[in-house]
Amino acid sequence: MRVFLFILALAAGTAQAQTGADRVETLVQMFRQNRPSAQDITLSEAEVNAYLALRLPSKAKEIKRASANFKDGHVVEAEASVSLGGGALDRLPADTPTFVRKTLERLLKSDSTVQVDALFTSARGKGFVQIRRVEINGIKVPDSFVREAMEFAGAKARPPVDFNRLFPLPDGLDKVEVLAGAVRVVVKP
C-alpha cells in the first residue's frame, strides 16, 4: 500500500495535455525535481492504472500487474498479481504465528492475487490509511497479521511511518483525495 500511496503522492505537478501513463510520469518527474506548482491535479483511475502497468513491474520485480479502483467514501480497492516466493517468508517478523507462516508458505508457491480494500483520508499534509480487508487468492488474511505487516512496512519506509496514526504526506502535498473513479492531489501553495 505504501508504494501505491507514494505513486499517488508523487503525481503532483502540472496538468499538461498528456494521456495515461505519460501524464502521470511527467507529474512524478516534476515532483521529484521539487518543481510542483500550487494547484489541484485530478488523475483518472485509467491514468493511474496505465502508469502502474507501465512502471510498477520495473520498480518491483515481484509485481506482475497491479490496478486500483477508486470509490466514493475515500475507498481504494487494489489488486495485484505478485510472485513473492519463499523468500518473502524470511521477511516476516520472528514471532509470526506458525499457522500464518505455513498458510503463507502454501499461498506463495506460485503467483498470487492479492486484493486490498482500504480507506485513505488526508488533509493539511497528513494522511491516514485503514486497511479494511486483505485477501490472497481469495483467502482473507487475518486482521492481526495485516496489522503486523503494516507495522513492518512502516518501519522499513524511509522515513519510518506509523500507519496507526496520522502520517506526513510527502513534502509539497497538502491533500490526496480519493473520489469515485479518480484521485485528486492538492499541492501546497
Side-chain angles (χ1 to χ4, degrees):
M1 186 59 153
R2 175 84 173 145
V3 171
F4 177 72
L5 295 176
F6 181 72
I7 290 169
L8 291 180
L10 291 176
T14 184
Q16 293 181 353
Q18 298 174 324
T19 60
D22 291 337
R23 179 170 181 251
V24 177
E25 179 68 27
T26 298
L27 299 172
V28 168
Q29 294 306 318
M30 291 188 77
F31 196 86
R32 283 188 178 148
Q33 297 168 8
N34 275 334
R35 296 184 323 176
S37 53
Q39 58 183 333
D40 293 358
I41 307 295
T42 300
L43 298 169
S44 72
E45 194 173 276
E47 289 173 316
V48 171
N49 285 330
Y51 179 79
L52 291 173
L54 183 65
R55 297 290 180 216
L56 198 53
S58 66
K59 295 181 187 296
K61 301 285 188 218
E62 64 273 6
I63 300 176
K64 305 300 181 201
R65 67 169 179 76
S67 64
N69 295 317
F70 303 124
K71 306 282 186 184
D72 278 331
H74 308 283
V75 174
V76 177
E77 293 175 349
E79 182 174 301
S81 176
V82 296
S83 178
L84 297 175
L89 297 174
D90 298 336
R91 294 181 276 198
L92 293 175
D95 61 348
T96 301
T98 303
F99 82 93
V100 171
R101 189 175 290 276
K102 288 189 181 282
T103 300
L104 286 174
E105 189 174 281
R106 277 181 263 147
L107 290 172
L108 299 178
K109 286 185 179 176
S110 62
D111 286 358
S112 299
T113 300
V114 178
Q115 295 173 310
V116 178
D117 179 7
L119 180 69
F120 180 76
T121 59
S122 68
R124 297 186 188 129
K126 303 278 186 192
F128 183 76
V129 63
Q130 176 188 12
I131 305 296
R132 301 187 320 178
R133 184 175 182 89
V134 176
E135 291 183 1
I136 299 176
N137 294 336
I139 300 171
K140 184 181 184 310
V141 176
D143 293 340
S144 60
F145 182 71
V146 172
R147 280 191 299 277
E148 285 183 32
M150 292 295 288
E151 288 173 16
F152 181 74
K156 291 285 187 184
R158 294 294 167 244
V161 174
D162 181 353
F163 288 111
N164 294 314
R165 303 174 184 261
L166 289 174
F167 56 87
L169 295 174
D171 287 339
L173 288 184
D174 188 48
K175 182 178 185 178
V176 178
E177 183 178 12
V178 178
L179 309 166
V183 63
R184 180 176 163 245
V185 180
V186 179
V187 180
K188 289 179 182 173

